[in-house]
Structures are given as structure tokens and as C-alpha cells.
Amino acid sequence: MTEFDAPVGIVGAGPIGLVAALRLADLGVPSILLEAAGTLTKQGSKACLIQGDVLEILDKFGCATPIKDEGVTWTIARTYVRNKVIRSAEYPLGPGFGPFINISQHRIEQVLVEAAEAHPLCELRWGQEVVAVTQDTDSVTVRATGPEGEHSYRFGHLVASDGVRSRLRELLGVEWTGYTHQDRFLITDIKAKLPLAKERHFHYDPPFNPGRQLVMHPQPDDIWRIDWQLPPDADIEAERADGRFDQRVRDVIGDIPYEIDWVSTYRFHQRVVERLRVGRVLFAGDAAHALPPYGSRGMNSGIQDADNLAWKLACVHAGHAEEELLETYHTERYAAAKENLRVTEATIRFMVPPNLARRWTRSVLLSLSHVLGRAEKHVNSGKMAEPYVYKESPIVQAGDDALLGSFAPDGHVDVDGERTRLRRLLGDGFVGLCFATEAASATEFVVDARAKPWHLPARLVVVLPAGASAQGLPADVVVAHTDDPSLLEPYGADAGTWWLARPDGHLAACGKEGGGFADALSMAVRSPAPHRHPVKGTR
């Protein structure tokens, strides 16, 4: 048996690397995280928004609730043109964590680090700067320097989550396609009691940043994040030295007292690696794709990368799937990255028109937006992040049903007299969801589903109408009850449909007859694989 320091190594202990480690641990796979920094350091708000659907991933290992409780939940995004509201988009709260929660990336990292350091299957090593990486058909070897000198690590697979300036990308010669925008942007976190609703405020051509954009997001503890698009000649250090920076802030908030918590300037990227899978090295998060902040797709899509990758690595290391399953990580998440780039490129081309004709068009649309409703619809202030639908994935059943490949819809259910949510019955592995009108038809599904052998573990969850008897169903089947039409209708519950939910909560297959369940389970990992014992680490 090949001996590893751990089955999986992870380079970069930001939110993506930490989520990958914690999800792998959930699924029984040990990992070692190598982080170049000596400790966790605060860097302002950075990625300041986590989507509610993404919090579902953190909920699988117990980190969602403190983030939700501390963060600012908002449901309304207002778009202004010249200081007048032209659009107020409202997002429903839903049954789970809400649509969006504002909280600093640093605080998210603190919660994740505490969980990782407490988990026996996660080992976090600070101050380890990777200087070399090699791989063969069986393993990846990493050399890293740290306080105690140079050390060599051997892993079965390596997750590269070391950020937008990824050293692993450089060491492996991975092509970084796309471009870096020339315009500069300024982020300032200020502490102030502003008389503003705790919502997203996006301004086009406001008097406090004429001809450009400004976005404001509320954070916990009276922190407000303000993003300015800067003119080419802006010198923020000079502004801070001579007092003009104070006037810049005052132009936005007035005479309200404030304290500066963080200031940073940046240029945003529109980039993606050509391949997310390079042999046994898998790129995730900003190491794989870099996006502008509008729509909050960076950290959110990176966490979804980690969740997608973790269950596939776990299947491979447990012997439930062949190595080639990891190719679907590239297929699915590269498609997601390209979709994110398409959406953000449309926003950028409206925000920063590339030529005279587009500048004229935007100017007309902004001028008409107050008086002409159809013009308002074309004012692009950034489409907010949402989970990608793996409609074209080779491990998602082809079909016309809109739910195939999507993140499983959620709703309230009762299990053993306790109220919970459907998504909380998913996530530990593959789950067969059977929606039935009575116990007899649900029992028929269970018997038919188990008639053929399964090539990997799965659980069965039966959803029945409220008050319906569960008599006759096997004891190892989870029985949930609900009459919520907003949950039942999308799943086609009245037709007795079953669904296969993957460990990342996306729906891989559906059917009417339970006899197809075993084949759907095999398809979800590409093909049956003979069972073998998982690879053990030499911790």
C-alpha cells in the first residue's frame, strides 16, 4: 500500500482550502493544509458576502449558524442613478439561511480555522511556503519551507487553493487565461452609524463619485464597506496624507462621525485556468478563477468548488469510483467558472464601456432610467451569485426536467415529530429522495430500489403528506412529512417521483420506478467500481 502523509494535501488555508478540508473530514478523508502565512491575519472585509445556498455547505460541518447569527442578512438590492432609486430587487428569505449574509471573509476564516484545528482529520500547518511540486501516476510530492526548515510531503491528491497569485499555478505552468482590468477600485471599511437601510446600495454616477460607480454594503458592528471606482489619476496615499480622503468619505456619508477600519485599492481580474485538473492536482477558488466583486461570485463559487471536489475525492479514496471521476470536477466547475465570467463580463462592459458607442448607449440608458421602465431593465448593477446548474454534466441524467443538475430546493419537513429542513437530510453522501402519497407506494419504491446491488453507499429518505402513516417502511429509511406546496411542487411529488441527490446537494437523476435507482447511483460516479479499502494516512 502506498504511504502518504495524508490522502489529500491542500495548499492555502483561506476559506476554500478550509472548506475543502472540513468537507473531506466529514466524508472520512484526512488532509493536511499548508499555509504560507504564519498565522491568520485580518485584511479588512475582502469577500464580504456569503450566499445563503453556500452557507448550506458550511452547515454540513457546523459552521453556518455562528456566521448567520453574527452577519447582516439582507433581502433588498437598490440601484441608484444620480442618487435616485431606479430599481429595488427583493430576494425572498426562504426556509434556510436567507439569500445573502454580509460578514467579513476574515470572520468566516476565523470560524473555519477553529473548526479545522478541532477536527481530528484536519491538520493545519502554518508558515509552510511551497517551493516545489512534482507528481507521478500515484502521488503528488510537495516541498515546503517553514520555521523548521524544508520539509517534503507526499499526498494522493493535492488541492491548489492558494489564491489569485497562486504559486502552484506558477510551479505547474498552468495557463491563466483572461485579463486584468486597468481601472482601479478603492475599498474602504468604515465604522459609523449611518441612517441607511441594511441593504445593498449600488450607485451609478452619484454626486460623490461623478461619472463612475460606488457600492455600499453593511457589515456587522456598524461597519460599512464602500467601493469606489477610481479615476485614473487618483492617489489614495496622497489623499490620506493631505485630508482629501476624509472629504471623499464625507461626500458619501455627510458629517456623521466615522473611523477607518481598512483601506485597500485593487484591480479586478477576469481569469480562469485552462484546466482545473492537472494530473493529481486540482485547482479551486481564486487559484482557478478570478472574478470582480460585483455579484459576489468569487468566494461563493470557490466554496462550491471545494464542495464539488471533496465528495469526488472521497469517492475515489474510498474505492467507490475510479480516478477519472475527478475529470468531472473540471467539467462541472470549469463550466460554472465560464458562466460566472460571462455574467461578470456583461456587468463590466456596462460599468466601464470599452468604446465611444457603448459609452453613449450607457449614458442614454442612465438618463432614461428614471422615466422609462424598459431602460431601467438594461442598467446592469451585477447579477447576484447563485448555484450553477450542471445540466450538461456527464454524471447528471439527461432530461427535460428543470431540476436536473440544480441545487436541491429546500422546504420545511417534520422528522420524528421535529421540524427541520429537507436540505439538512442531505449532505453526508448520496441520498435517494422518494416523494409518495402513501406508505405503500413508498415501500414499493424502497423494495425496487434495493432489488439491484448498489456500488456505493446511499441513504433513502421518503417524503409523505403530513399525518400519513409510515407503516411498512423499513426502519433504516428516514421518513419526513410535509404539506408545503412550495417544496412538493418542484419535485413533482404528486406523481410519485424519486430523485438522487449528490453529496453536494445537486440533483443527479430522477425517475418514477424504483428499479432505475441503482443504475442512477452508478451513473452519478460515472461507472461501478470494485470496493477496496480507503487509503490510510501516516499522520
Side-chain angles (χ1 to χ4, degrees), residues 415-416 425 459-463 473-480:
V415 177
D416 295 329
L425 305 180
R459 292 183 298 111
L460 295 180
V461 174
V462 167
V463 182
L473 282 163
D476 62 345
V477 172
V478 176
V479 179

Side-chain angles (χ1 to χ4, degrees), residues 189-196 198 216-226 249-250 253-261:
D189 291 345
I190 64 166
K191 187 175 180 66
K193 293 185 179 297
L194 302 185
L196 284 174
K198 292 189 174 181
M216 298 181 70
H217 267 284
Q219 300 289 299
D221 303 319
D222 293 322
I223 298 289
W224 284 83
R225 171 176 168 146
I226 309 176
V249 176
R250 293 273 174 224
I253 69 169
D255 294 331
I256 295 169
Y258 75 93
E259 298 174 11
I260 293 176
D261 191 66

Side-chain angles (χ1 to χ4, degrees), residues 280-513:
R280 289 179 168 265
V281 181
L282 296 309
F283 286 85
D286 284 354
H289 43 76
L291 302 159
Y294 302 103
S296 299
R297 293 168 180 269
M299 180 180 69
N300 286 292
S301 64
I303 291 174
Q304 289 162 337
D305 289 347
D307 195 26
N308 185 293
L309 179 55
W311 76 260
K312 293 173 181 176
L313 283 169
C315 279
V316 170
H317 281 272
H320 299 315
E322 301 293 351
E323 182 80 15
E324 199 58 21
L325 176 63
L326 298 178
E327 183 62 18
T328 69
Y329 168 69
H330 166 75
T331 303
E332 292 183 344
R333 295 311 298 166
Y334 184 77
K338 294 292 282 186
E339 172 64 9
N340 282 328
L341 288 166
R342 183 193 66 78
V343 171
T344 53
E345 182 66 22
T347 303
I348 292 163
R349 290 173 73 83
F350 189 86
M351 284 177 47
V352 190
N355 54 50
L356 183 61
R358 286 186 174 272
R359 285 195 294 274
W360 181 85
T361 300
R362 192 188 83 153
S363 178
V364 170
L365 285 170
L366 293 178
S367 296
L368 294 176
S369 61
H370 293 299
V371 295
L372 190 62
R374 283 176 294 179
E376 169 268 316
K377 294 177 183 177
H378 295 286
V379 175
N380 190 329
S381 57
K383 182 181 178 183
M384 297 305 295
E386 56 190 7
Y388 185 71
V389 179
Y390 302 123
K391 197 69 177 177
E392 305 299 322
S393 170
I395 57 171
V396 171
Q397 175 184 303
D400 296 330
D401 197 293
L403 281 191
L404 285 169
S406 67
F407 194 41
D410 199 16
H412 291 293
V413 296
D414 291 317
V415 177
D416 295 329
E418 296 291 330
R419 188 172 172 85
T420 185
R421 293 186 292 112
L422 186 66
R423 283 182 182 170
R424 283 191 160 161
L425 305 180
L426 312 178
D428 293 335
F430 283 90
V431 175
L433 286 171
C434 171
F435 291 82
T437 56
E438 59 179 2
S441 57
T443 302
E444 183 179 351
F445 161 76
V446 173
V447 171
D448 290 346
R450 289 174 169 173
K452 292 175 66 175
W454 297 354
H455 293 273
L456 68 161
R459 292 183 298 111
L460 295 180
V461 174
V462 167
V463 182
L464 295 172
S469 170
Q471 187 174 0
L473 282 163
D476 62 345
V477 172
V478 176
V479 179
H481 291 88
T482 186
D483 280 337
D484 182 358
S486 65
L487 174 65
L488 297 174
E489 288 173 10
Y491 285 104
D494 58 342
T497 307
W498 62 260
W499 296 85
L500 175 62
R502 310 188 321 184
D504 60 4
H506 285 258
L507 299 171
C510 66
K512 304 291 185 186
E513 303 294 334

Side-chain angles (χ1 to χ4, degrees), residues 68-148:
K68 164 69 167 63
D69 290 347
E70 291 181 32
V72 175
T73 299
W74 59 270
T75 60
I76 296 175
R78 301 196 190 276
T79 301
Y80 306 74
V81 172
R82 293 162 194 149
N83 236 20
K84 293 182 179 180
V85 176
I86 65 160
R87 182 170 62 238
S88 295
E90 188 163 358
Y91 302 89
L93 272 171
F97 292 100
F100 308 107
I101 293 87
N102 283 4
I103 191 168
S104 73
Q105 178 178 324
H106 175 67
R107 181 59 187 138
I108 292 173
E109 289 173 342
Q110 284 182 316
V111 173
L112 295 176
V113 165
E114 183 178 353
E117 290 184 332
H119 202 294
L121 296 185
C122 300
E123 186 172 343
L124 178 51
R125 298 187 180 181
W126 299 97
Q128 298 295 304
E129 182 178 356
V130 173
V131 295
V133 58
T134 58
Q135 58 178 316
D136 54 32
T137 56
D138 298 316
S139 64
V140 184
T141 301
V142 171
R143 282 197 295 114
T145 60
E148 298 177 359

Side-chain angles (χ1 to χ4, degrees), residues 3-176:
E3 293 294 327
F4 299 128
D5 290 280
V8 179
I10 301 170
V11 177
I16 286 55
L18 289 161
V19 168
L22 287 162
R23 280 298 284 142
L24 284 165
D26 258 1
L27 298 165
V29 181
S31 66
I32 294 176
L33 292 93
L34 305 177
E35 169 54 49
T39 186
L40 183 62
T41 55
K42 183 178 180 182
Q43 293 181 301
S45 57
K46 292 188 75 174
C48 71
L49 179 153
I50 188 163
Q51 186 200 23
D53 289 331
V54 174
L55 265 183
E56 300 283 0
I57 298 170
L58 276 61
D59 193 43
K60 295 170 186 176
F61 44 80
C63 288
T65 298
I67 291 170
K68 164 69 167 63
D69 290 347
E70 291 181 32
V72 175
T73 299
W74 59 270
T75 60
I76 296 175
R78 301 196 190 276
T79 301
Y80 306 74
V81 172
R82 293 162 194 149
N83 236 20
K84 293 182 179 180
V85 176
I86 65 160
R87 182 170 62 238
S88 295
E90 188 163 358
Y91 302 89
L93 272 171
F97 292 100
F100 308 107
I101 293 87
N102 283 4
I103 191 168
S104 73
Q105 178 178 324
H106 175 67
R107 181 59 187 138
I108 292 173
E109 289 173 342
Q110 284 182 316
V111 173
L112 295 176
V113 165
E114 183 178 353
E117 290 184 332
H119 202 294
L121 296 185
C122 300
E123 186 172 343
L124 178 51
R125 298 187 180 181
W126 299 97
Q128 298 295 304
E129 182 178 356
V130 173
V131 295
V133 58
T134 58
Q135 58 178 316
D136 54 32
T137 56
D138 298 316
S139 64
V140 184
T141 301
V142 171
R143 282 197 295 114
T145 60
E148 298 177 359
E150 189 170 284
H151 186 84
S152 182
Y153 299 90
R154 193 162 185 250
F155 306 113
H157 293 91
L158 186 68
V159 178
S161 55
D162 52 339
V164 71
R165 297 180 179 84
S166 171
R167 183 68 189 279
L168 283 172
R169 220 175 38 230
E170 175 188 338
L171 291 170
L172 290 170
V174 173
E175 187 175 353
W176 191 220

